[in-house]
Amino acid sequence: MSEKPVAVVTGANRGLGLETSRRLAALGYTVILTARREQEGHAAAQSLASAGGDVRFQALDVTDEASVQALAETVRGIGRLDVLVNNAGIVPDPKPGTEEASVFVADLETVRRGMETNALAPLRLCQVLIPLMNGRGRVVNVSSGMGQLDEMNGCCPGYRLSKVSLNALTRIFADELRDTGVKVNAVCPGWVRTNLGGERAPLSVEEGAEGIVWAATLPDDGPSGGFFRHGEPIPW
């Protein structure tokens, strides 16, 4: 069994996932960096390992059961799991601000793709991997302000509905794990300059990852079942 804490980060070949992996490796974690694109994932893991981090690549399609089970076998081989960061996600909708992004013309298959990747995949990963934490760990569901009911407005129903569901999933798991040492929280990184956020976003990837790493490394008396931005609670 590994003596170092172990973290799984999904969708980590670039952007927030890659920066989160870098930060956790620097903190002494063994990081299982996962990505659907194997060539990019291998290169990302190798770059972090070359910088001195204990980072290992695992191919993962979060929507494929066999791929999820292969990840679980890798974790079992290491012997422990301390952190799961559900970062992998898509924006399935047409470009915001266009007529095609309206809920009135939303294609149901587009909505289903968003739900499959952004909500049902984290559900399955939690089901499979949380039991490997042996009663103590941290789960971070990377969510979005676009999934806040408190500030909900129009456009992009595929993305919005999936992130609302991810927030609900956070609350459900946190409640069922309330008598354990496993903490489950949702984090909104803010509008970040990633492939999804675009170049106009005000926050750097480094700034966006801060809240994710904060939730991944909470102390034993830290919160569970919350929604946070940069370590501060925000309305659901």
Side-chain angles (χ1 to χ4, degrees):
M1 176 181 291
S2 173
E3 294 183 359
K4 299 171 63 176
V6 176
V8 167
V9 184
T10 69
N13 57 296
R14 64 189 182 195
L16 288 169
L18 179 59
E19 180 61 22
T20 297
S21 298
R22 185 194 319 278
R23 298 275 188 97
L24 291 176
L27 291 172
Y29 285 75
T30 293
V31 177
I32 303 175
L33 183 156
T34 77
R36 182 168 54 85
R37 296 182 176 88
E38 293 194 33
Q39 185 174 357
E40 294 179 19
H42 273 297
Q46 185 174 6
S47 69
L48 297 186
S50 297
D54 184 0
V55 181
R56 312 172 189 187
F57 174 67
Q58 174 82 28
L60 176 67
D61 179 345
V62 296
T63 66
D64 181 77
E65 179 66 17
S67 188
V68 171
Q69 292 296 335
L71 171 61
E73 283 302 309
T74 295
V75 173
R76 291 189 188 99
I78 295 174
R80 65 182 292 174
L81 180 63
D82 301 271
V83 172
L84 167 61
V85 178
N86 283 314
N87 172 71
I90 61 171
V91 179
D93 307 275
K95 185 177 179 180
T98 63
E99 292 183 4
E100 292 80 8
S102 169
V103 69
F104 282 99
V105 296
D107 178 70
L108 292 187
E109 184 56 36
T110 297
V111 176
R112 289 188 187 99
R113 286 197 301 113
M115 293 294 292
E116 184 73 21
T117 300
N118 297 348
L120 296 182
L123 166 59
R124 187 60 184 142
L125 284 163
C126 285
Q127 288 176 328
V128 171
L129 296 181
I130 288 177
L132 304 183
M133 291 180 171
N134 296 317
R136 187 183 184 283
R138 307 290 180 262
V139 178
V140 185
N141 292 323
V142 180
S143 188
S144 169
M146 291 181 71
Q148 280 182 275
L149 289 175
D150 185 67
E151 299 179 3
M152 186 63 67
N153 49 27
C155 103
C156 306
Y159 186 70
R160 289 189 186 277
L161 288 170
S162 68
K163 291 302 185 179
V164 170
S165 297
L166 182 62
N167 288 347
L169 186 68
T170 299
R171 296 292 297 269
I172 294 168
F173 270 107
D175 184 70
E176 295 200 14
L177 291 163
R178 63 187 180 278
D179 295 326
T180 75
V182 179
K183 298 184 181 299
V184 186
N185 291 290
V187 170
C188 171
W191 187 11
V192 180
R193 290 188 295 275
T194 63
N195 280 21
L196 293 181
E199 295 181 356
R200 293 176 54 244
L203 297 177
S204 68
V205 170
E206 292 78 11
E207 290 170 315
E210 288 178 4
I212 300 172
V213 175
W214 170 83
T217 57
L218 284 171
D220 290 341
D221 61 353
S224 187
F227 191 17
F228 298 91
R229 182 184 290 123
H230 308 307
E232 296 296 328
I234 58 176
W236 292 99

